[in-house]
């Protein structure tokens, strides 16, 4: 490791064109069929997302030290809502430039 900051790829998602996004989908073998299958799961994700959030956050909430990182209970509620919205959005059925830009923003937040 050289200690230098990692540089984003020249074709990062934020500047993607439809063609570049198409190449990424082709590389991942993500077709209209997969898009439709994910869309078919939307109802399931909407029903189960709160349980997934609780399963993720409940163990964290038992540790006071971790909860100080989240701030107040309102922040924890917002984080749960954002996580729930994220999970449901995975099944939107629309995976174009707007979706890719959203995923790119989420990735940058977690770097």
């Amino acid at each position: 490791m050289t200690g230098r900051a990692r540089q984003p790829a020249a074709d990062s998602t934020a500047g993607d064109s439809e063609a570049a996004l198409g190449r990424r989908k082709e590389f991942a073998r993500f077709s209209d069929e997969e898009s439709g299958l994910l869309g078919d799961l939307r109802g399931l994700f909407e029903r189960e997302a709160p349980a997934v959030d609780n399963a993720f956050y409940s163990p964290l909430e038992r540790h006071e030290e971790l909860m100080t990182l989240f701030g107040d209970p309102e922040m924890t509620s917002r984080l749960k809502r954002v996580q729930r919205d994220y999970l449901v959005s995975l099944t939107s059925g629309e995976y174009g430039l707007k979706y890719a830009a959203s995923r790119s923003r989420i990735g940058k937040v977690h770097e």
Side-chain angles (χ1 to χ4, degrees):
M1 179 172 273
T2 63
R4 294 186 306 177
R6 188 171 47 129
Q7 297 297 315
D11 67 341
S12 69
T13 305
D16 262 348
S17 65
E18 288 288 345
L21 184 57
R23 287 190 300 275
R24 288 180 179 189
K25 287 180 179 180
E26 184 178 339
F27 175 80
R29 296 183 180 162
F30 187 79
S31 69
D32 289 342
E33 181 180 357
E34 282 81 21
S35 176
L37 290 170
L38 281 170
D40 291 345
L41 295 172
R42 187 168 187 88
L44 173 68
F45 273 55
E46 288 172 339
R47 284 190 309 276
E48 298 299 326
V52 171
D53 291 339
N54 287 331
F56 178 77
Y57 281 99
S58 288
L60 300 179
E61 291 170 334
R62 289 193 289 262
H63 298 280
E64 188 176 323
E65 304 85 25
L66 288 174
M67 292 313 296
T68 61
L69 297 173
F70 294 125
D72 59 48
E74 287 180 24
M75 174 60 86
T76 304
S77 293
R78 281 193 301 271
L79 290 170
K80 286 180 178 182
R81 188 181 65 250
V82 168
Q83 178 69 21
R84 192 169 28 251
D85 291 347
Y86 166 76
L87 289 172
V88 172
S89 76
L90 295 173
T91 62
S92 71
E94 297 294 324
Y95 305 101
L97 290 175
K98 184 177 176 183
Y99 179 87
S102 172
R103 293 300 168 259
S104 180
R105 281 190 304 279
I106 291 167
K108 287 180 174 122
V109 165
H110 290 91
E111 282 185 345

